[in-house]
Every structure is written in structure tokens, then in C-alpha cells.
Amino acid sequence: MSKRPVTRGRPTNRKKKASILDRILAHIPLSHVALRRIATWTIVLVVFGGVYVAGAVTGANAAIGTALAEQVGKAGLRVEQIEVRGVKRMDVTTVYAVALDQKSRAMPLVDLNGVRDRLLQYGWVQDAHVSRRLPDTLLIRIVERTPAAVWQNQGQLSLIDRDGIYLEPVSADAMPDLPLVIGPGADRQEPAFQTLMVAAPALKPRVRAATWVGNRRWDLLFDTGETLSLPEGEDEAAKALKLFAEKDGTTKLLGSGAYIKFDMRDYPNRMVLRPASRVTTTPAPKPSATAKPTTTKSDRAPTRDEV
């Protein structure tokens, strides 16, 4: 039985020709992972657009959109991380709690405006910016308020900012080096107090406390112990404080020990100075063993306490 010769073909070295699409993708400066994400989102958007159009016809857009967003969340676009920036003084766990208080953590269903509005209800938060960072991160930037004074009212101490916004309670042992404003309504007068201090910037660091009296005027207590009573009205108080600063610059009223109070409530007519009470004592002579007690009449008039 004869065998037929087997004819073997020569191996071909032909390379598969790249398609036009492959050549275009090769020139795009993106990784395969990034291109895959873009393709996924493109498909999602196309599908979502088609479903939205169908929902518009049937009137079921809300339910369809929610269901589709949940599926997107299950596919990996879901809040798994919270990144908070800008927090220095407030409790950062409060920000996390607000951000995670969502009906759903699917990225499309996170209410960014709602998170921001709830954060703005806290005194420390002056502004907040909330954004998504795909695929799984919620980015929150906080702009905090700056404490400007300590408000004392009915025995309670609180931090407030320059607009009088309540920030948080503070204990007497942990009081920061800030001006102390005292009295009912003094927190709401903090902007006016800051404006008042502009009239005499040299005195600002020397004011230890400011009492809002009768809901109409200020009493200032200085670090040297003296009190200055200012008149009613923002303009009159500013002018009186400026005049006092000028007089203190020329005659050194503060820290001299000569006065305990300066009353300018009757500005511009007069300023009443209350002198400090000086009590001087002289040591009594030591009695001698041989000396006899003597009684002498004083040649001065008796004082009120002696009458």
C-alpha cells in the first residue's frame, strides 16, 4: 500500500493589520483602565438617556431614575470614603455624620446641596463645598469661622465670631486670649464692638472686658484695672474713645494708679475721673517697759467714721 506524500504548507509570518480604531486609541494619552471607565460611563449615560426618554413617555421618570442610580451604585459607584478638608476647631465626626446621613450611598443619589445646607447649620461652618470624586469618594471642604470674643451671659461662657455667631461653650479654665463681652445682647453687639475698637486701635489689646450696659452702651475694663464708661450711640462712643486714647497718650491715664474709673457718658461736655482710694498706714511705736500710757487729744477734726 503506497503512501501519499504529505504536503506541508509554509508557516506564514503575516501580522494582523491594526484597525483604524486601534490606531486612534494608541495615540490617546490615557491608560486602558481610564479608557475602560470612560467607556463604562458612556454606556451608562446612553442607557440612562434611553430609559429617561422612555420614562418621559410613560410618566415614570423618578422611579426609573432611582432604580437606575441604585444599579450604578451596585456596579461600584458608591460612597465608601469621606475626605474632609479645612477642619481645625470643630468636631470632624460631625461632618462625617452629616455626609453619611443619606437615603442611599449610590453616587448619583447623594444630595450634595442637602449635605451643604445641613453643614451650614453648625456655628463653626461659615461655608462648605461638597463634591463627588469618582468612583467612591465624597470630598467636603469646610471654611471655619474665627473666634473673635468670649461672651459671658448668666454665668455661661461661649465663643463667638466677629459677627456674634455662637460657636461653642468654653470653660473658665480654658478661656482663650480674646476680649470678653458681658451681658444680655452683647453677642449681637460684637460687630459694633469691633467697629468701636477701630476708633482707638492702640487701646484694643488693652481691653480685657467690655460690658454691654442696659442694651444701649459699653463699659470697658482695661488690663490695668480701670473702667471707662462710654456714651450711648455708636458715633458718640467712637469719638469719646478716640479722645480718651489721645489723652492717655499725652498724660498716661491708664496704669498710673491715680484713677479707678473714667466716666465719659456726658461726652462731649465733660469727663469725670474717679480717683483711687489711697489708704496709708504708719506702724505704731513699740511700747516700752517703763513707759506709761499717755492720752493725747488730736488737733484734727474727727472723721465721719469717728463721729
Side-chain angles (χ1 to χ4, degrees):
M1 184 174 181
S2 61
K3 294 183 179 179
R4 290 185 179 180
V6 178
T7 306
R8 299 179 180 270
R10 294 182 179 179
T12 59
N13 293 327
R14 295 180 181 177
K15 294 183 179 179
K16 187 177 180 180
K17 189 176 181 181
S19 65
I20 297 176
L21 180 59
D22 291 335
R23 282 181 285 177
I24 293 175
L25 294 177
H27 288 81
I28 297 178
L30 293 173
S31 64
H32 290 289
V33 176
L35 290 172
R36 195 157 47 243
R37 287 181 179 176
I38 293 174
T40 301
W41 271 101
T42 302
I43 295 172
V44 169
L45 291 175
V46 170
V47 173
F48 182 80
V51 173
Y52 184 86
V53 172
V57 177
T58 61
N61 275 343
I64 293 174
T66 301
L68 182 59
E70 290 290 358
Q71 293 302 316
V72 171
K74 291 179 181 179
L77 297 178
R78 176 182 173 84
V79 177
E80 300 292 348
Q81 301 181 62
I82 307 293
E83 185 174 335
V84 180
R85 299 178 183 176
V87 171
K88 298 178 181 177
R89 297 179 179 90
M90 73 175 296
D91 187 0
V92 70
T93 58
T94 301
V95 182
Y96 289 132
V98 171
L100 294 175
D101 185 17
Q102 304 285 335
K103 294 181 180 179
S104 172
R105 293 192 187 180
M107 272 293 188
L109 295 181
V110 175
D111 186 1
L112 302 183
N113 291 330
V115 173
R116 180 179 183 271
D117 291 342
R118 290 196 297 275
L119 287 172
L120 290 177
Q121 294 176 8
Y122 291 87
W124 277 112
V125 182
Q126 182 175 355
D127 200 1
H129 306 275
V130 186
S131 60
R132 301 180 181 91
R133 191 170 66 187
L134 300 177
D136 60 358
T137 303
L138 207 61
L139 179 60
I140 301 176
R141 295 183 177 90
I142 299 293
V143 179
E144 286 187 338
R145 299 182 190 276
T146 302
V150 177
W151 175 40
Q152 178 180 325
N153 186 41
Q154 297 181 351
Q156 301 295 321
L157 297 173
S158 307
L159 281 179
I160 59 175
D161 77 338
R162 61 174 295 108
D163 295 322
I165 302 297
Y166 171 85
L167 302 179
E168 67 179 15
V170 63
S171 65
D173 298 335
M175 278 184 59
D177 187 18
L178 292 172
L180 177 67
V181 291
I182 305 170
D187 57 330
R188 295 189 297 273
Q189 295 299 320
E190 178 62 19
F193 174 72
Q194 295 292 338
T195 303
L196 175 65
M197 289 295 98
V198 174
L203 294 180
K204 183 176 181 179
R206 306 193 63 179
V207 175
R208 190 170 68 188
T211 303
W212 182 240
V213 182
N215 200 30
R216 64 183 187 276
R217 65 172 194 85
W218 291 103
D219 274 358
L220 304 183
L221 175 65
F222 295 98
D223 54 3
T224 46
E226 300 93 342
T227 300
L228 171 63
S229 296
L230 293 173
E232 300 179 26
E234 294 183 9
D235 292 339
E236 294 298 303
K239 292 176 182 177
L241 183 61
K242 183 177 180 181
L243 177 61
F244 179 82
E246 292 172 353
K247 289 183 176 295
D248 179 63
T250 56
T251 60
K252 192 174 173 54
L253 298 173
L254 296 176
S256 65
Y259 308 101
I260 60 173
K261 186 172 182 179
F262 310 97
D263 192 343
M264 299 187 73
R265 287 177 293 176
D266 198 21
Y267 172 86
N269 298 324
R270 62 176 180 167
M271 177 173 70
V272 179
L273 285 70
R274 181 182 298 178
S277 59
R278 296 180 179 271
V279 179
T280 59
T281 58
T282 57
K286 293 181 179 180
S288 171
T290 58
K292 294 182 179 180
T294 58
T295 304
T296 60
K297 279 189 176 181
S298 173
D299 57 356
R300 62 179 176 82
T303 63
R304 182 178 299 178
D305 293 337
E306 294 173 336
V307 173

